[in-house]
Amino acid sequence: EVLGRRAGVGKEAFHAILKSHEKEYLLGHCTTKDFWKKVCQNTDISYDKFVREISAYEINDNVLELLRSLRKRYELVLITDNYDALFHAMAHDRKLRGLFDYSFYSHQLHMVKMYDEEKIFRHVLKTIKANAEDCVFIDDKKINLAHARKLGIHTILFKDIRQLRKELASYSVR
């Protein structure tokens, strides 16, 4: 929204521009500066402002608390389609430090949950040496769940903390 307003095209139009160039960046095939040039040419959005906005995120404290409690009994794995700029912000976030046993970032793997179908999930299962049916994958995008489900991974579409706790309990995750 901030960048769309700054570019003078509005949130939806700027989002469309961003999405049209996003895949190569998520896959790690272009730098943050190259992505900025593609998305922000012909605007007055500075590189620093762009990086600040695309690397901004909020951590849901209730989810963080749940993850910390699950960490005592389960291995936690992060699979994220994120920009390199956001990766750097997350990697230095003290709240996330030590929370995950494994972390998989799309730009490092050159695979994206949304685009590479089961490929990224096969890679993760092989790396962590886990059977699909022993895993629960949680995501806030329905499209990402379908690919995991095809492999036999249990899936949960995240809506809110209450629903997440309830669905985890249905898989006997406490």
Side-chain angles (χ1 to χ4, degrees), residues 52-100:
R52 198 167 33 257
E53 289 301 322
I54 67 168
S55 62
Y57 68 98
E58 289 181 37
I59 296 177
N60 181 314
D61 288 329
N62 292 323
V63 172
L64 192 59
E65 180 184 324
L66 174 62
L67 290 174
R68 286 186 181 131
S69 70
L70 291 173
R71 176 94 176 87
K72 296 172 187 172
R73 282 181 257 171
Y74 302 97
E75 282 191 331
L76 298 182
V77 177
L78 175 69
I79 309 171
T80 181
D81 292 344
N82 269 324
Y83 303 137
D84 181 58
L86 182 54
F87 161 75
H88 290 291
M90 291 176 68
H92 294 96
D93 191 325
R94 292 167 42 118
K95 289 182 177 182
L96 298 176
R97 197 167 293 142
L99 187 59
F100 298 99

Side-chain angles (χ1 to χ4, degrees), residues 21-57:
H21 298 288
E22 177 182 61
K23 183 177 180 180
E24 291 304 304
Y25 188 43
L26 284 173
L27 287 168
H29 296 312
C30 73
T31 66
T32 302
K33 191 154 280 220
D34 291 336
F35 186 53
W36 168 73
K37 287 177 185 176
K38 289 176 184 177
V39 172
C40 295
Q41 65 187 13
N42 306 321
T43 73
D44 66 345
I45 299 170
S46 71
Y47 176 74
D48 291 338
K49 177 72 172 173
F50 181 72
V51 170
R52 198 167 33 257
E53 289 301 322
I54 67 168
S55 62
Y57 68 98

